[in-house]
Amino acid sequence: ISGRKELIAYMRQKARTYIFSNSLPPSIVFGATAAFDLLMKDRSIVKRLHENTAYFRKEIVRLGYKIIEGEHPIVPIMLGEAAVAQEMSNQLLKAGVYIRGLWYPVVPKGEARLRAQISAALTKKNLDAALDAFERVGKKMNILQ
């Protein structure tokens, strides 16, 4: 397509034919296959993922953040406004936490969020460091009391 920059950005987010027409590179396919092989051999990975997810969800709420409830390892941390999500993402990156935000048109207006993705590879020390950064940045930005 051709058009204004805003139109092209909008179409990239909304055009199902664009989003779902890309085939995966061979490296991704082989990586996914290796991941399935690993999961078949070692179920403790899944257990660690569940434990890490439950811990992070409980602790991020205890800090005072609103999340979308669930048990899955993608934890949406609701912030409301796009500018807040953008700034918090930047501040957390400076604090050593890589996390990206989502805002309109990817999510409805007023429902901007950070998207935490919990992994079985993370240790409790890793999770605590991230939670500490969330607490410091949240207080600095007046999101938390």
Side-chain angles (χ1 to χ4, degrees):
I1 62 172
S2 66
R4 291 188 338 263
K5 182 176 164 182
E6 297 82 9
L7 173 65
I8 293 169
Y10 178 80
M11 293 302 292
R12 283 186 173 146
Q13 293 295 325
K14 296 293 184 179
R16 293 171 80 63
T17 54
Y18 178 84
I19 295 170
F20 298 111
S21 67
N22 299 327
S23 62
L24 296 173
S27 58
I28 299 296
V29 173
F30 285 108
T33 302
F36 283 118
D37 290 343
L38 186 61
L39 287 171
M40 297 300 282
K41 293 176 187 167
D42 184 3
R43 296 293 297 166
S44 70
I45 296 168
V46 176
K47 182 178 183 235
R48 268 194 320 278
L49 177 61
H50 287 292
E51 290 169 353
N52 285 351
T53 300
Y55 178 76
F56 183 84
R57 284 177 169 275
K58 179 184 75 150
E59 293 300 314
I60 199 81
V61 169
R62 185 188 62 74
L63 288 176
Y65 288 98
K66 180 184 173 199
I67 65 171
I68 294 179
E69 294 297 324
E71 296 179 10
H72 46 83
I74 296 173
V75 183
I77 302 161
M78 305 305 290
L79 297 171
E81 297 304 316
V84 174
Q86 290 169 350
E87 180 60 22
M88 187 161 205
S89 174
N90 291 333
Q91 292 296 319
L92 285 166
L93 183 59
K94 289 176 185 174
V97 177
Y98 179 77
I99 189 164
R100 302 310 307 161
L102 301 174
W103 42 83
Y104 181 82
V106 178
V107 296
K109 284 185 179 177
E111 294 185 26
R113 64 198 71 179
L114 296 180
R115 186 176 192 252
Q117 294 181 244
I118 307 305
S119 166
L122 297 170
T123 64
K124 186 172 183 293
K125 184 177 177 181
N126 297 143
L127 294 170
D128 286 341
L131 290 161
D132 181 59
F134 267 97
E135 184 173 24
R136 282 181 290 138
V137 171
K139 287 179 179 177
K140 179 180 174 184
M141 292 182 62
N142 295 317
I143 294 167
L144 300 178
Q145 302 294 328

